[in-house]
Amino acid sequence: MRLFRLAPFFALALLLCVVSSAAAQSPALLRTQLPLITVSPGASFQVVVEVVGGSSVDGAEVHLQFNPAHMQVTSLSAGTTLPLTIVSPTFNNSAGTIAYAAGAVTNFPSGTFTLLTINFTATTLPTAGSPINLVRLGIPRQSEVTFGGRAILSGTQGSMVVIGGLALPLALSPALPNGVVGQGYNQTPFVSGGSAPYTYTIIRGSLPAGLSINSNGAITGTPTQAGISSFSLRVTDNAGATTWQEVVLTITAANAQGLVFTPSSLPTANLNTPYQAVLGAMGGTPPYTFSLLSGTLPTGLAFNSVTATITGTPTALGSTALTFQVTDSAGNIGIATLILTVAPTDALAGH
């Protein structure tokens, strides 16, 4: 009998069904924050479990498995976004298991938030890869995300932990040129350092439809759909050194080559100073619609997709990459990544 699932988690789901909206919700993902973690033998490291997506979430349950021969849990810290603890954070360093469940009855969160933070210590036993897995389907325990008594979990993404074997200065450049629907594509990510030959593996995410990658890193094929794909690419050299990068590959529609953003760059914002930037487009067939595909605006700023305007008063310094999409009335798509920098208040004044 699945007591852990039915009581208390399923019981909470029945309660939340009463207070939550019954409207359809977008699916959510459970993942560990980094797909690849590299540590030295005996070192401490941290794994953050996140809920990603979901227009509203009222409950989340997580079960993780790890190899206790390669790592040991030292402590667990629950996130605060789901304030109601259903199952306290627990771990078993002999069995290599972790469990936690939490929920909310009001102020249902959405987007990405931290569910659980795990502190590990790596053992002195080197390994080329030891997984930390989120149990998606299991008896009697499985990970789940819910809203209104309904399961909305679409998938899970775990991590790979590499202990030792990282002495070589291996570097991977994530920059790849855009592709075009219906046109052949053949590109290899640039690697420096280490000892050739290199092998490449996608450890999370996927390539655009129509493309594939071989063990030598060549991304080839003919893209069949416009859009942006994000994936984690791992490269290992001949001596066993390894590194990874998040890679973004944009595919544009064949008939959208004349559809471009204006301006081609965003004006610099001033710290604690009101800011406004308006996006526009040229080419294609007006009217246009705009959306922010990826990236997080600086604190204090917001993007209005109806007016295509970034407004607000930034309260933190730094630069961030923002990827926008413009779609014309014929369905053509244009995509651009723009850098928005928040500078000190006196930086633009020449002081």
Side-chain angles (χ1 to χ4, degrees):
M1 185 174 183
R2 299 173 64 182
L3 295 177
F4 189 91
R5 293 283 300 156
L6 294 177
F9 193 75
F10 187 67
L12 176 74
L14 293 177
L15 170 63
L16 295 176
C17 184
V18 177
V19 298
S20 304
S21 169
Q25 301 296 317
S26 60
L29 176 75
L30 271 175
R31 73 178 183 190
T32 49
Q33 194 174 67
L34 298 176
L36 180 66
I37 301 168
T38 56
V39 296
S40 301
S44 298
F45 64 97
Q46 192 172 81
V47 172
V48 177
V49 181
E50 298 178 316
V51 177
V52 181
S55 50
S56 292
V57 171
D58 63 18
E61 179 177 0
V62 61
H63 296 276
L64 294 100
Q65 294 178 332
F66 62 93
N67 188 339
H70 294 138
M71 64 199 82
Q72 294 277 285
V73 177
T74 57
S75 65
L76 302 176
S77 176
T80 59
T81 306
L82 293 176
L84 177 60
T85 298
I86 306 166
V87 175
S88 298
T90 58
F91 64 90
N92 186 323
N93 275 331
S94 296
T97 59
I98 300 169
Y100 174 60
V105 294
T106 59
N107 300 321
F108 306 121
S110 61
T112 300
F113 60 89
T114 296
L115 183 63
L116 182 68
T117 299
I118 311 163
N119 292 302
F120 283 99
T121 297
T123 66
T124 57
L125 180 64
T127 174
S130 185
I132 299 175
N133 293 322
L134 285 145
V135 180
R136 174 75 190 279
L137 298 174
I139 297 176
R141 296 166 180 157
Q142 67 184 54
S143 300
E144 191 58 86
V145 178
T146 65
F147 183 76
R150 299 179 180 180
I152 60 172
L153 181 63
S154 63
T156 59
Q157 296 176 347
S159 296
M160 186 69 70
V161 179
V162 176
I163 303 173
L166 302 173
L168 294 177
L170 187 64
L172 169 66
S173 171
L176 286 173
N178 293 352
V180 180
V181 171
Q183 298 183 16
Y185 190 87
N186 189 340
Q187 296 289 332
T188 300
F190 177 74
V191 176
S192 62
S195 174
Y198 309 108
T199 57
Y200 301 75
T201 308
I202 292 178
I203 56 177
R204 193 156 73 182
S206 60
L207 289 165
L211 299 183
S212 62
I213 185 170
N214 63 26
S215 60
N216 295 322
I219 299 174
T220 60
T222 302
T224 60
Q225 185 176 351
I228 294 179
S229 295
S230 176
F231 54 94
S232 303
L233 183 62
R234 174 181 178 177
V235 59
T236 304
D237 78 352
N238 192 45
T242 185
T243 189
W244 71 277
Q245 286 281 356
E246 291 288 345
V247 181
V248 175
L249 179 51
T250 300
I251 305 298
T252 60
N255 58 353
Q257 299 306 294
L259 188 58
V260 296
F261 275 86
T262 58
S264 59
S265 61
L266 292 172
T268 298
N270 247 358
L271 184 67
N272 298 322
T273 302
Y275 178 85
Q276 177 173 300
V278 180
L279 299 180
M282 297 177 60
T285 306
Y288 308 111
T289 57
F290 295 84
S291 60
L292 176 61
L293 293 183
S294 64
T296 302
L297 286 159
T299 303
L301 297 182
F303 176 65
N304 186 321
S305 60
V306 177
T307 61
T309 304
I310 301 172
T311 57
T313 300
T315 58
L317 299 173
S319 295
T320 185
L322 305 169
T323 300
F324 295 94
Q325 175 176 297
V326 58
T327 305
D328 72 1
S329 60
N332 299 318
I333 294 174
I335 296 171
T337 298
L338 307 177
I339 304 299
L340 178 52
T341 298
V342 179
T345 303
D346 60 351
L348 298 181
H351 300 299

